[in-house]
Amino acid sequence: MKPHSLLILPLLAALAACSKPQPPETERRPEPQATAMREAIAEPLAQAKAAAAATEEAAKAQKAAMDATGGATTDTPQ
């Protein structure tokens, strides 16, 4: 082989590695379109939290009514 042919291959490889096009600096990422999915997930969670809060309030009211009438509650051992 001739010496200049040995130099051509590494030079071509280096040239190919350096010639990648750079993305433009002004290119922006697209705005996320996941708001509908986020709302669809959050709505049942909010309903479940509201139901849990209502259940807690009903339990407190029932316990207060039992205490006011002098009745025994189920969570107090006798």
Side-chain angles (χ1 to χ4, degrees):
M1 282 192 156
K2 296 182 181 180
H4 61 74
S5 63
L6 292 176
L7 291 175
I8 290 176
L9 290 176
L11 288 176
L12 285 176
L15 182 63
C18 293
S19 66
K20 290 184 180 180
Q22 297 296 326
E25 293 295 325
T26 59
E27 185 175 316
R28 288 191 206 160
R29 292 185 177 187
E31 292 294 322
Q33 302 294 321
T35 56
M37 179 67 79
R38 188 178 308 121
E39 290 172 0
I41 292 171
E43 184 178 344
L45 291 175
Q47 290 175 351
K49 287 179 181 178
T55 303
E56 291 285 328
E57 289 298 318
K60 287 178 184 177
Q62 183 180 13
K63 186 175 186 308
M66 292 292 284
D67 290 343
T69 60
T73 60
T74 58
D75 61 351
T76 307
Q78 293 185 15

